[in-house]
Amino acid sequence: MEYDLAITNGLIVTCNDDFEIIEFGRILVKDGNIAVIDSNTSNIKTAKEIDAKGCIVMPGLINAHTHLPMSMFRGLADDLPLMEWLNEHIFPAESKFIDPAFVQIGTRLSIAETLLSGTTTICDGYFLEEYIAQAVNETGIRAVLAQGVIDFPAPGVPDPAKNIEHALDYIHKIQNKYPLITPSIFCHSPASCSEKAFINAKEAASSLGLILQTHFSETKSEFMQIKEETGKRPAEYLDSIGVLDEKTLLVHSVWLEDKEISIVKESGCSIVHNPESNMKLGSGIAPVPKYLNAGITTALGTDGCASNNDLDMFCEMDSAAKIHKAATLDPSVTTAEAILKMATIDGARAIGLGDVTGSLQVGKAADIVVVDIRKPHLVPMYNPVSHIVYSVKGSDVKHVVINGQHAVDNGKCLTVDVESAIDDALTMGEKIMESKN
Amino acid sequence: MEYDLAITNGLIVTCNDDFEIIEFGRILVKDGNIAVIDSNTSNIKTAKEIDAKGCIVMPGLINAHTHLPMSMFRGLADDLPLMEWLNEHIFPAESKFIDPAFVQIGTRLSIAETLLSGTTTICDGYFLEEYIAQAVNETGIRAVLAQGVIDFPAPGVPDPAKNIEHALDYIHKIQNKYPLITPSIFCHSPASCSEKAFINAKEAASSLGLILQTHFSETKSEFMQIKEETGKRPAEYLDSIGVLDEKTLLVHSVWLEDKEISIVKESGCSIVHNPESNMKLGSGIAPVPKYLNAGITTALGTDGCASNNDLDMFCEMDSAAKIHKAATLDPSVTTAEAILKMATIDGARAIGLGDVTGSLQVGKAADIVVVDIRKPHLVPMYNPVSHIVYSVKGSDVKHVVINGQHAVDNGKCLTVDVESAIDDALTMGEKIMESKN
């Protein structure tokens, strides 16, 4: 048998159920999938070989929550509360600039950063998502891309009464069109979407077997608002209208009370933790150790990089591992292994791709990252999982393979024209800057 | 007049008193110092020129607290409480391995990482410090290097009764020997040094005009212990024995009560904040916004990279900016500008080098970093200070100049043989790994 690709000689951190680590390991890829993982060194015919000697070989990271076009707003406004940041800076900039060309420029820029820093799957929610899907498809990254639903006029959806119709239209347009892209629906939040919108969005997503996502209890005031308006805690409310199940993704989930954690666990839905965005916006510290103890599938995301301000999932792991130790005064509540699972296999499960990606296992897609550890900040190495979470940065990524295709080769992105992505972003950035002044 | 070096065309973030930013700026260097900063583009004779077009030019960062040799223990033990981490992993490894060769191997490794990530001044505390000084001197970095004092047998100081004598001996050996190194004394902590040791150490440091440093109220249990043993809160205790003044550096300062904050402010001493280490060890979140409001000079440090696990001051700024927003639920408590000051000019002031470095000003030493921002994660740029704190990583550093000498050129370290530093660390790491198994 001839294989398409061999990745040889690396230290393989599989993230499989036994969290197996294979020294001097070999991965053979055929038709986009992992065909063999072993430590055999016999000669094998392959079309291509990546020598990973002295490198960590690991699953591509899963960024389970972002807003790709928002890289265009990175650093536009900082050090402000969520509502002021949104209402006085981000929403006005969005209403002024968002159009199909804009979202594609921001998306290409974000995907370049994403690929170069070792993320192979992203889960996005925004408006004009069909144009984002077009741009994403060209980059070869794996993605769950959700059309936004909000009960206000939004880019591409001037009439909010038609927001579900738009979402369904989007899904029909892109489903099965792009091999690595799965559509989804993103309700902006229980505070900005009516009960009816939530119920209809969930029904639409369920009928097609797709994930429904929503920002959820991001701030204390949002928690209070929902409790006041519905007489129920936010998780009780969403549960009562039937939108919580194993295909629902609760993004942020900073302010859940213990009773709500049980509801979330019972329902089978997943949580996406975005520690850096929650920190930067002063939203709070999600009780993630409780989610992990309850056995809730918990993923990790960067959020849009206007509130982060980057898309580096290695750094996000570092923050996720540390923040809960500080909050609980217990350094054992979040181990490096638990955090790496959030950024890999549990992230894949949360977004409905647990059978496809998130770990290095025979039969899964070849979504693989090779990290160069011959650097002053990465030697010596006593524990590769500690290194991945606490010491490796996105800039240490040497190779990225997605669905068997080489996307980053020796630190160079093969699937995005990075120079033109930068130039386009700079030109658009000048216009945004002018309008700000 | 002929200059030694020109850095031209960059966006200069001066960190001077007015926090001036100069577009298309020029810095001319003569005899190690900044001779000119302007935006003049006329031709000038210089021995060397760095074209910083499309780059940020900023002061070299000040890492105000670290333990250089501990890079050898990075990832040796994680996710453990401070005392278990220290007593069961770090102290045993130290007692087994620390000797002059070991501390020099770890130091060279740490300085390579430090230089490559844009830090031009470090403040260290460890044992066998004369050997560290030797290795540091060869790298061309600016440093305050403190000999440790502890009331237990320590590497190089088998008899704790002679710990002050050793410190004085160290100071006499290295003072005025190395042009960019200032000696200092480091009392390990009020819990591990007697009142007498503190008083003698302070007297020795004061008599020579040097800084006295100590770990201070790092954990709640340390706070409680001192209160129980002395009947005073830790800051009250140190104040009562006369060791707090403008040449004292209180490292960590996580658990200060309001009354202690006033004492620290009154005394004129400085604080070093190490957010990532405090988070990782579950020590807590220092009330830094209170320190800033009180007008206490507050510096930033990484701590030893066994508890971090890196020496990247850009990432440390990012963490410092975010953690207090999360803790207070107020995103305005730590602005990007305030954090950048901590990592530059206030760091320099805290370690006694405020007149020498920490900002780009005529007459100060030419300690300069050039950051490449033509990267997907750094375009467009609306605010360079936001970028520096929230988006730039150490790996974006292109050039480093220290005291007018080019130390990093296009991402390549000129003053440390990085390959042999890595090889030495790997060889030593194997021995440590073997002893662990």
Side-chain angles (χ1 to χ4, degrees):
Chain A
M1 186 173 182
E2 183 160 336
Y3 295 94
D4 304 323
L5 172 69
I7 301 177
T8 55
N9 301 317
L11 179 69
I12 303 178
V13 176
T14 61
C15 298
N16 67 13
D17 287 343
D18 301 325
F19 225 77
E20 224 171 323
I21 290 172
I22 304 169
E23 288 189 67
F24 302 105
R26 181 179 69 164
I27 300 178
L28 300 175
V29 176
K30 180 78 183 168
D31 299 330
N33 292 327
I34 296 173
V36 173
I37 304 188
D38 60 20
S39 51
N40 194 321
T41 55
S42 60
N43 273 337
I44 286 283
K45 273 208 287 187
T46 51
K48 188 170 194 170
E49 182 175 340
I50 294 173
D51 185 353
K53 194 181 164 205
C55 296
I56 293 173
V57 178
M58 58 182 283
L61 298 173
I62 317 286
N63 186 349
H65 180 63
T66 191
H67 308 291
L68 290 166
M70 294 187 78
S71 50
M72 287 306 305
F73 301 134
R74 182 190 341 249
L76 186 66
D78 300 289
D79 309 329
L80 298 170
L82 177 64
M83 294 324 287
E84 186 182 342
W85 174 78
L86 268 180
N87 293 328
E88 291 176 29
H89 298 272
I90 298 304
F91 285 160
E94 286 187 339
S95 79
K96 194 156 190 173
F97 289 102
I98 290 185
D99 64 20
F102 175 93
V103 300
Q104 293 195 332
I105 288 169
T107 295
R108 274 191 289 267
L109 184 71
S110 288
I111 301 287
E113 177 183 356
T114 295
L115 291 173
L116 288 166
S117 57
T119 293
T120 56
T121 301
I122 43 113
C123 183
D124 183 72
Y126 211 62
F127 296 100
L128 298 172
E129 198 73 19
E130 66 176 287
Y131 301 99
I132 293 174
Q134 222 171 53
V136 165
N137 176 59
E138 289 164 11
T139 69
I141 201 169
R142 192 180 304 282
V144 173
L145 302 180
Q147 166 69 22
V149 164
I150 190 167
D151 280 330
F152 301 102
V157 196
D159 178 4
K162 296 188 173 161
N163 52 21
I164 306 291
E165 201 179 300
H166 261 88
L168 273 167
D169 183 49
Y170 156 76
I171 292 169
H172 292 312
K173 270 186 190 153
I174 77 140
Q175 204 166 23
N176 306 318
K177 185 171 178 188
Y178 305 122
L180 302 188
I181 297 176
T182 311
S184 170
I185 298 177
F186 202 113
C187 283
H188 187 268
S189 83
S192 55
C193 293
S194 66
E195 185 179 319
K196 190 176 149 221
F198 257 100
I199 291 171
N200 291 343
K202 182 66 192 173
E203 195 181 283
S206 293
S207 69
L208 296 158
L210 302 175
I211 298 277
L212 177 79
Q213 309 177 45
T214 182
H215 293 132
F216 185 73
S217 276
E218 181 172 0
T219 61
K220 180 117 194 219
S221 66
E222 191 193 323
F223 173 94
M224 297 304 293
Q225 185 191 332
I226 300 301
K227 215 175 149 189
E228 205 162 289
E229 285 175 11
T230 69
K232 301 185 178 78
R233 295 177 187 87
E236 292 170 324
Y237 161 60
L238 286 191
D239 193 41
S240 74
I241 61 171
V243 303
L244 297 189
D245 65 26
E246 67 288 339
K247 284 195 171 290
T248 302
L249 202 51
L250 299 176
V251 176
H252 295 305
S253 301
V254 178
W255 291 97
L256 270 69
E257 294 187 352
D258 288 352
K259 194 176 167 190
E260 295 181 275
I261 296 175
S262 304
I263 292 171
V264 168
K265 169 62 187 165
E266 284 307 305
S267 73
C269 68
S270 300
I271 282 173
V272 184
H273 180 38
N274 303 278
E276 295 196 2
S277 173
N278 298 156
M279 289 163 83
K280 181 153 184 282
L281 293 169
S283 305
I285 302 171
V288 166
K290 289 187 181 179
Y291 302 157
L292 298 176
N293 284 339
I296 295 170
T297 302
T298 307
L300 195 65
T302 58
D303 205 353
C305 66
S307 62
N308 187 313
N309 291 351
D310 65 53
L311 300 168
D312 187 327
M313 283 289 291
F314 284 97
C315 293
E316 201 74 31
M317 282 195 280
D318 184 53
S319 297
K322 285 172 177 159
I323 181 74
H324 306 289
K325 301 177 194 294
T328 61
L329 303 185
D330 178 357
S332 68
V333 289
T334 41
T335 64
E337 185 175 316
I339 297 297
L340 179 55
K341 279 183 185 163
M342 287 170 60
T344 56
I345 183 62
D346 285 346
R349 285 180 184 133
I351 63 171
L353 298 176
D355 295 334
V356 178
T357 188
S359 60
L360 301 180
Q361 290 179 256
V362 170
K364 277 198 170 183
D367 293 354
I368 305 170
V369 163
V370 177
V371 177
D372 182 5
I373 54 171
R374 193 179 160 83
K375 300 195 174 185
H377 65 287
L378 297 174
V379 293
M381 181 172 74
Y382 304 107
N383 176 345
V385 178
S386 163
H387 257 42
I388 288 170
V389 172
Y390 294 118
S391 304
V392 170
K393 315 253 186 272
S395 49
D396 301 315
V397 168
K398 194 171 178 184
H399 295 283
V400 176
V401 171
I402 302 176
N403 214 47
Q405 298 301 307
H406 208 165
V408 173
D409 180 8
N410 250 310
K412 202 176 149 18
C413 191
L414 302 176
T415 61
V416 180
D417 179 343
V418 174
E419 291 306 314
S420 82
I422 288 176
D423 286 335
D424 290 348
L426 287 172
T427 304
M428 181 63 79
E430 273 169 35
K431 287 183 199 160
I432 295 171
M433 192 66 175
E434 274 164 28
S435 89
K436 203 191 170 193
N437 291 336
Chain B
M1 186 172 181
E2 184 159 337
Y3 296 96
D4 303 325
L5 173 68
I7 301 177
T8 55
N9 301 317
L11 179 69
I12 304 178
V13 176
T14 60
C15 299
N16 67 11
D17 288 344
D18 301 326
F19 226 76
E20 224 171 324
I21 290 173
I22 304 168
E23 289 190 68
F24 302 106
R26 181 179 70 164
I27 299 177
L28 300 175
V29 176
K30 180 79 183 166
D31 298 331
N33 292 326
I34 296 173
V36 173
I37 304 187
D38 60 20
S39 52
N40 194 321
T41 56
S42 59
N43 272 338
I44 287 281
K45 273 209 286 187
T46 52
K48 189 171 192 169
E49 181 176 341
I50 294 173
D51 185 353
K53 195 180 164 205
C55 295
I56 292 172
V57 178
M58 57 181 284
L61 297 173
I62 317 286
N63 186 348
H65 179 64
T66 190
H67 308 291
L68 289 166
M70 294 187 79
S71 51
M72 287 306 305
F73 301 134
R74 183 190 341 250
L76 187 66
D78 300 288
D79 309 330
L80 299 170
L82 176 65
M83 293 325 287
E84 186 181 342
W85 175 77
L86 267 180
N87 292 328
E88 292 178 29
H89 298 272
I90 299 302
F91 284 161
E94 285 187 339
S95 80
K96 194 157 190 174
F97 289 102
I98 290 185
D99 64 19
F102 176 93
V103 300
Q104 293 195 332
I105 288 170
T107 295
R108 274 191 288 269
L109 184 71
S110 289
I111 300 287
E113 178 184 355
T114 296
L115 291 173
L116 287 166
S117 56
T119 293
T120 56
T121 300
I122 42 112
C123 183
D124 183 72
Y126 211 62
F127 297 99
L128 299 172
E129 198 73 18
E130 67 177 286
Y131 301 98
I132 294 174
Q134 222 171 55
V136 166
N137 176 58
E138 289 164 11
T139 68
I141 200 169
R142 192 179 305 282
V144 173
L145 301 179
Q147 166 69 22
V149 164
I150 190 167
D151 281 331
F152 301 102
V157 195
D159 178 4
K162 296 189 174 160
N163 52 21
I164 305 291
E165 202 179 300
H166 261 89
L168 273 167
D169 184 48
Y170 156 75
I171 291 169
H172 292 310
K173 270 186 190 153
I174 76 140
Q175 204 166 22
N176 306 319
K177 184 172 178 186
Y178 305 123
L180 302 188
I181 297 176
T182 311
S184 168
I185 299 178
F186 202 114
C187 283
H188 187 267
S189 81
S192 56
C193 292
S194 66
E195 185 179 319
K196 190 176 148 221
F198 258 100
I199 291 170
N200 290 343
K202 182 67 194 173
E203 194 181 284
S206 293
S207 69
L208 296 157
L210 302 174
I211 298 278
L212 177 79
Q213 309 176 45
T214 181
H215 293 131
F216 184 74
S217 276
E218 181 172 0
T219 62
K220 179 116 197 218
S221 66
E222 192 195 322
F223 173 93
M224 297 304 292
Q225 186 190 334
I226 299 301
K227 214 175 152 190
E228 206 161 289
E229 284 175 11
T230 69
K232 300 185 178 79
R233 296 177 186 88
E236 292 170 323
Y237 162 60
L238 286 191
D239 192 41
S240 74
I241 62 171
V243 303
L244 297 190
D245 64 25
E246 66 289 340
K247 284 195 171 290
T248 301
L249 202 50
L250 300 177
V251 177
H252 296 305
S253 302
V254 177
W255 291 96
L256 269 68
E257 293 186 354
D258 288 351
K259 195 178 166 188
E260 296 181 276
I261 295 175
S262 304
I263 291 171
V264 169
K265 168 61 187 165
E266 284 306 306
S267 74
C269 69
S270 300
I271 283 173
V272 184
H273 179 40
N274 303 278
E276 294 196 4
S277 174
N278 297 156
M279 289 164 81
K280 181 154 184 280
L281 293 169
S283 304
I285 301 171
V288 166
K290 290 187 182 180
Y291 301 158
L292 298 177
N293 284 339
I296 295 169
T297 302
T298 307
L300 194 65
T302 58
D303 204 354
C305 65
S307 62
N308 187 313
N309 290 350
D310 65 53
L311 300 168
D312 187 327
M313 283 289 291
F314 284 98
C315 293
E316 201 73 32
M317 282 195 279
D318 184 54
S319 297
K322 284 172 177 159
I323 180 74
H324 305 290
K325 300 176 194 293
T328 62
L329 303 185
D330 178 358
S332 68
V333 290
T334 41
T335 63
E337 185 176 316
I339 298 297
L340 179 56
K341 279 183 184 162
M342 288 171 59
T344 55
I345 183 62
D346 286 346
R349 285 181 184 134
I351 63 172
L353 297 176
D355 295 334
V356 178
T357 188
S359 60
L360 301 181
Q361 290 178 256
V362 170
K364 279 198 169 183
D367 293 355
I368 306 170
V369 163
V370 177
V371 178
D372 182 6
I373 54 170
R374 193 179 159 84
K375 300 196 175 186
H377 64 289
L378 297 174
V379 294
M381 181 172 75
Y382 304 108
N383 176 346
V385 178
S386 163
H387 258 41
I388 289 169
V389 172
Y390 294 118
S391 304
V392 171
K393 314 253 187 275
S395 50
D396 301 314
V397 167
K398 194 171 178 184
H399 295 283
V400 175
V401 171
I402 302 176
N403 214 47
Q405 298 300 307
H406 208 165
V408 173
D409 180 9
N410 249 311
K412 201 174 150 19
C413 191
L414 302 176
T415 61
V416 180
D417 179 342
V418 174
E419 292 305 315
S420 82
I422 288 175
D423 285 335
D424 290 349
L426 287 171
T427 305
M428 180 64 77
E430 273 169 35
K431 288 182 201 162
I432 295 172
M433 192 66 174
E434 274 165 26
S435 90
K436 202 189 170 194
N437 291 335

